[in-house]
């Protein structure tokens, strides 16, 4: 299909959608040329001409046809117009005769339509079709579809159809399709259409775009208790208040579904404009709503995103807004939260780690470091705590706080914990064999989920048997909150491990229940004081008497219960000395050593 001016690929202007077809009619038999106007294909042969009766019937049909039509001469002037065309254009058919059709139809001002019209007249095209507004003599306009056709003989046939009602109906249907029936606001489809247009508008005034994505807090309870009718009335009322907030700035408001709404800030002037809009929305929602005979209070959580339009996409913007909305809810609801790239990067990293954690254990991406446990009275190395690290292929070496929580959430902590326990015992056995005169106790952290989701006792027994490590050289650390109130399987596991000869230590002691009376009935042999207790020991010039009194009391009680005490986070010699005077048995922290590889511990033993 050629362009309207004869060249390929030329599109018509928006004022007239021109559809033309190349002159590709089948060749006549014997290669005869097309006949000039007024001759039939068989002229000069024995074929019969149409009779006068046929011509009269044709003219009668042309005159009474409901379709507005005209016959045009080769130069484009009107030879004859029917009554339907006169009625449509507001002029008598007689006055149209000898009038240029291009001017009559308003094609003269459109070079694309005018060129295509001329191509049909000259035989370079068979057909023209375009839609445009035609101005009547009284100044009114009719939206019409114009068709000019060649029939293989002259004159040419022009037809004009009023498509105004059709287009109006089409617009009404589009409006229904693009608007939410409950709130009467634009729906998700129209919102994304406008959002995509705003993102792609590189000629915008500021080149920036803002988005407030909100969700009503506790709306489900309204539907569940008062019914969907009241819920719909509430949504409509919320929509009206949002519209009142957005209209002064000309911002788009849409209901995306359920109790989710969005406000689009085109040509944003900066982050402040978007956050001010979010603040206005929160204020607008504070007064209670009177709907369905009920007075209802409602709040919203709002995710706010504001950025340059270039380099983003509608999908990317909505993903950022959805993430930020989740933050607003997690931060306490009834508030707005601004998108934070660093926080999002942490979330993305967390998701990436979570997806690959199980496979990382299988691929052997984890390693162990060991931190010494030193006797405070003699300075001797008494043991080490095994600390797992993830040698991630993309993020580098990761500390436990980056992935242990994830492992506990998805259950992979059982698999990872089993590996840590086996590797720790294997290394401890190697140290024992190399230095039988000074065997080290290896302390390994155990998650609560390992006790519940696996047979910890069986795992420990199998690993000790496989490595040959004596049970007395293995200490398992559990958090205080995990041990306190233990019943059933966890308590049975603790007693079974104790009977096996394995030591049980309470990690981060003092941050949980601190019930020493209950602790005395558990098979626990050691307490590890949380580092927060040692912070008051950092300065000899400005000591905290309360911290020292608390630690001294805890140590004395622990010793009376037959428990040893390890102080964590010992950072300097002054702390170590004061803890020694109080009676702590061992210390652990950077004053002695950072967590190091097994080879460094071996060097200390040599």
């Amino acid at each position: 299909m050629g362009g309207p001016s004869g060249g390929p690929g030329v599109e018509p202007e928006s004022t007239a959608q021109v559809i033309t077809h190349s002159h590709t009619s089948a060749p006549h038999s014997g290669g005869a040329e097309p006949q000039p106007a007024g001759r039939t294909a068989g002229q000069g042969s024995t074929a019969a001409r149409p009779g006068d009766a046929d011509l009269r019937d044709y003219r009668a049909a042309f005159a009474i046809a409901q379709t507005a039509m005209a016959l045009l001469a080769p130069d484009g002037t009107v030879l004859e117009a029917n009554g339907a065309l006169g009625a449509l254009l507001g002029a008598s058919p007689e006055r149209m005769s000898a009038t240029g059709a291009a001017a009559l139809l308003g094609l003269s001002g459109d070079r694309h339509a005018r060129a295509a019209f001329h191509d049909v007249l000259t035989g370079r095209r068979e057909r023209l079709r375009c839609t445009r507004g035609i101005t009547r003599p009284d100044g009114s306009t009719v939206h019409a579809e114009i068709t000019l056709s060649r029939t293989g003989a002259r004159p040419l046939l022009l037809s004009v159809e009023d498509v105004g009602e059709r287009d109006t109906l089409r617009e009404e249907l589009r409006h229904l399709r693009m608007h939410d029936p409950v709130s009467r606001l634009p729906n998700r489809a129209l919102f994304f259409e406008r959002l995509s247009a705003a993102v792609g508008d590189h000629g915008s005034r500021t080149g920036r775009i803002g988005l407030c994505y909100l969700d009503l807090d506790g709306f489900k309870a309204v539907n569940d208790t008062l019914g969907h009718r009241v819920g719909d009335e509430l949504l409509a009322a919320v929509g009206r208040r949002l519209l009142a907030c957005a209209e002064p700035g000309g911002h788009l408001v849409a209901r995306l579904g359920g109790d989710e709404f969005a406000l689009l800030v085109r040509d944003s002037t900066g982050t402040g404009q978007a956050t001010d809009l979010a603040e206005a929305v929160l204020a607008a929602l504070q007064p209670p709503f009177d709907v369905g005979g009920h007075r209802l209070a409602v709040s919203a959580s709002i995710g706010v995103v504001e950025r340059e339009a270039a380099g983003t996409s509608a999908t990317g913007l909505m993903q950022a807004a959805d993430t930020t909305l989740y933050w607003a809810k997690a931060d306490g609801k009834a508030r707005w939260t601004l998108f934070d790239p660093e926080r999002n990067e942490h979330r993305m990293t967390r998701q990436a780690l979570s997806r690959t954690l199980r496979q990382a254990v299988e691929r052997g991406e984890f390693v162990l470091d060991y931190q010494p446990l030193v006797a405070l009275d003699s300075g001797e190395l008494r043991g080490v705590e095994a600390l797992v690290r993830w040698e991630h292929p993309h993020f580098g070496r990761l500390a436990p706080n980056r992935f242990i929580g994830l492992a506990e959430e998805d259950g992979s902590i059982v698999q990872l914990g089993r590996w840590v326990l086996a590797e720790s015992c294997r290394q401890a056995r190697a140290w024992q064999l190399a230095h039988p005169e000074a065997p080290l106790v290896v302390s390994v952290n155990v998650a609560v989920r390992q006790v519940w989701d696996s047979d910890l006792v069986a795992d420990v027994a199998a690993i000790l048997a496989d490595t040959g490590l004596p049970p007395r050289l293995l200490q398992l650390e559990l958090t205080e909150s995990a041990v306190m109130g233990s019943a059933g399987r966890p308590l049975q596991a603790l007693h079974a491990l104790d009977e096996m000869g394995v030591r049980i230590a309470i990690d981060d002691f003092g941050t949980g229940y601190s019930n020493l009376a209950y602790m005395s009935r558990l098979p626990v042999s050691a307490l590890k004081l949380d580092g927060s207790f040692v912070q008051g020991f950092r300065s000899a010039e400005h000591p905290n008497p309360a911290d020292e009194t608390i630690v001294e009391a805890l140590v004395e009680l622990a010793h009376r219960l037959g428990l040893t005490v390890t102080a964590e986070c010992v950072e300097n010699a002054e702390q170590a000395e004061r803890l020694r005077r109080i009676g702590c048995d061992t210390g652990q922290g950077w004053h002695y050593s950072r967590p190091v590889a097994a080879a460094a511990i071996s060097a200390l033993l040599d």
Side-chain angles (χ1 to χ4, degrees):
M1 180 182 295
S5 60
V10 180
E11 295 293 334
E13 294 179 347
S14 60
T15 56
Q17 183 183 359
V18 180
I19 302 178
T20 61
H21 298 270
S22 299
H23 186 70
T24 56
S25 57
H28 295 278
S29 176
E33 295 295 327
Q35 302 299 315
R39 293 182 60 188
T40 65
Q43 188 172 357
S45 67
T46 58
R49 299 177 182 235
D52 292 340
D54 294 332
L55 291 175
R56 284 195 300 272
D57 292 343
Y58 168 77
R59 289 186 176 280
F62 175 79
I64 66 174
Q66 296 297 311
T67 301
M69 295 184 292
L71 299 176
L72 306 186
D75 62 355
T77 58
V78 177
L79 294 176
E80 186 173 356
N82 67 356
L85 182 62
L88 178 63
L89 300 184
S92 65
E94 294 77 12
R95 293 186 61 181
M96 295 184 196
S97 297
T99 302
L104 184 69
L105 301 173
L107 301 179
S108 301
D110 186 333
R111 63 184 182 87
H112 290 289
R114 186 175 65 251
F117 183 81
H118 182 264
D119 286 345
V120 178
L121 295 180
T122 58
R124 295 179 62 190
R125 297 285 186 270
E126 281 189 350
R127 182 183 180 92
L128 173 145
R129 178 181 293 162
C130 64
T131 303
R132 63 186 305 104
I134 302 174
T135 303
R136 296 187 177 104
D138 63 2
S140 62
T141 302
V142 59
H143 197 58
E145 184 177 84
I146 301 168
T147 304
L148 178 63
S149 304
R150 299 183 62 85
T151 61
R154 304 292 176 88
L156 290 79
L157 178 63
L158 172 71
S159 63
V160 183
E161 180 184 0
D162 184 357
V163 294
E165 291 185 2
R166 182 192 69 186
D167 290 349
T168 299
L169 178 60
R170 182 180 297 162
E171 286 299 318
E172 291 175 352
L173 291 175
R174 171 179 165 78
H175 182 86
L176 291 173
R177 191 174 70 253
M178 293 293 194
H179 285 74
D180 169 48
V182 173
S183 64
R184 308 299 182 188
L185 295 174
N187 62 13
R188 177 180 290 271
L190 181 55
F191 177 79
F192 271 93
E193 181 180 288
R194 299 284 177 82
L195 177 61
S196 298
V199 169
D201 184 11
H202 302 299
S204 67
R205 182 169 51 86
T206 66
R208 301 187 68 83
I209 189 170
L211 178 63
C212 295
Y213 182 31
L214 67 96
D215 176 278
L216 301 183
D217 301 322
F219 175 76
K220 184 177 182 298
V222 175
N223 273 344
D224 291 345
T225 58
L226 302 178
H228 288 272
R229 183 184 62 81
V230 174
D232 287 349
E233 290 184 24
L234 177 59
L235 291 173
V238 168
R240 289 191 291 271
R241 291 194 188 179
L242 296 180
L243 203 56
C245 292
E247 278 183 336
H251 309 309
L252 175 71
V253 182
R255 180 190 173 206
L256 304 188
D259 59 342
E260 297 177 356
F261 296 83
L263 295 88
L264 177 62
V265 181
R266 290 160 290 198
D267 282 330
S268 170
T269 58
T271 300
Q273 184 181 21
T275 56
D276 286 348
L277 179 59
E279 193 68 45
V281 168
L282 292 178
L285 296 180
Q286 281 186 350
F289 293 80
D290 292 313
V291 292
H294 303 275
R295 172 156 284 202
L296 303 175
V298 67
S299 64
S301 300
I302 309 176
V304 181
V305 182
E306 199 280 339
R307 60 177 57 164
E308 290 187 0
T312 190
S313 65
T315 301
L317 201 64
M318 284 304 299
Q319 287 177 341
D322 185 65
T323 297
T324 313
L325 172 60
Y326 171 80
W327 294 344
K329 286 193 172 293
D331 291 343
K333 302 181 180 180
R335 68 191 64 218
W336 59 263
T337 300
L338 183 64
F339 181 77
D340 180 357
E342 291 186 5
R343 186 174 180 180
N344 186 60
E345 182 65 27
H346 177 74
R347 180 186 69 91
M348 297 296 289
T349 301
R350 180 180 172 87
Q351 290 179 346
L353 295 178
S354 180
R355 287 194 303 269
T356 59
L357 209 157
R358 288 182 181 274
Q359 294 80 7
V361 178
E362 298 170 358
R363 290 192 296 263
E365 295 179 2
F366 292 93
V367 298
L368 291 182
D369 281 346
Y370 299 89
Q371 189 168 34
L373 301 174
V374 179
L376 288 172
D377 56 354
S378 64
E380 295 179 356
L381 181 63
R382 293 286 179 83
V384 292
E385 179 180 355
L387 300 169
V388 64
R389 307 287 189 257
W390 187 354
E391 296 286 2
H392 197 280
H394 300 297
F395 300 114
R397 171 169 280 218
L398 302 178
N401 63 336
R402 296 289 301 276
F403 58 86
I404 290 297
L406 295 175
E408 291 177 339
E409 289 176 10
D410 69 7
S412 58
I413 190 66
V414 173
Q415 182 184 12
L416 176 60
R418 190 179 293 120
W419 176 85
V420 171
L421 186 62
E423 180 64 18
S424 302
C425 290
R426 184 197 63 77
Q427 182 61 61
R429 175 60 171 165
W431 285 325
Q432 183 204 13
L433 293 175
H435 303 277
E437 73 288 352
L440 295 181
V441 173
V442 63
S443 192
V444 180
N445 290 279
V446 176
V448 177
R449 195 158 182 177
Q450 287 179 260
V451 181
W452 283 104
D453 294 359
S454 68
D455 192 340
L456 180 62
V457 176
D459 288 344
V460 170
I463 290 170
L464 291 177
D466 183 57
T467 60
L469 182 70
R472 60 184 174 82
L473 296 182
L474 174 62
Q475 177 173 277
L476 300 182
E477 296 185 16
L478 291 90
T479 61
E480 180 183 350
S481 58
V483 174
M484 299 307 297
S486 294
R489 185 171 182 176
L491 184 58
Q492 294 172 5
L494 292 179
H495 282 290
L497 291 168
D498 179 62
E499 293 173 2
M500 193 185 300
V502 174
R503 295 163 55 90
I504 305 295
I506 305 303
D507 194 17
D508 300 328
F509 183 78
T511 60
Y513 300 97
S514 302
N515 188 337
L516 282 171
Y518 182 81
M519 192 80 67
S520 66
R521 295 191 288 272
L522 294 175
V524 174
S525 55
L527 299 181
K528 298 188 72 175
L529 292 181
D530 185 71
S532 59
F533 287 103
V534 184
Q535 289 180 354
F537 291 73
R538 288 183 179 177
S539 173
E541 298 178 0
H542 304 285
N544 187 332
D547 285 343
E548 188 163 341
T549 301
I550 292 172
V551 173
E552 187 173 3
L554 288 176
V555 171
E556 183 178 355
L557 283 172
H559 284 169
R560 290 189 177 186
L561 294 172
L563 307 176
T564 62
V565 180
T566 298
E568 298 180 302
C569 301
V570 180
E571 297 182 355
N572 55 54
E574 294 174 356
Q575 286 177 319
E577 175 58 24
R578 292 173 67 190
L579 289 166
R580 183 195 65 78
R581 290 200 306 266
I582 287 173
C584 281
D585 300 287
T586 54
Q588 176 183 354
W590 286 8
H591 171 59
Y592 302 106
S593 173
R594 293 172 180 261
V596 294
I601 300 297
S602 299
L604 292 176
L605 294 172
D606 292 337

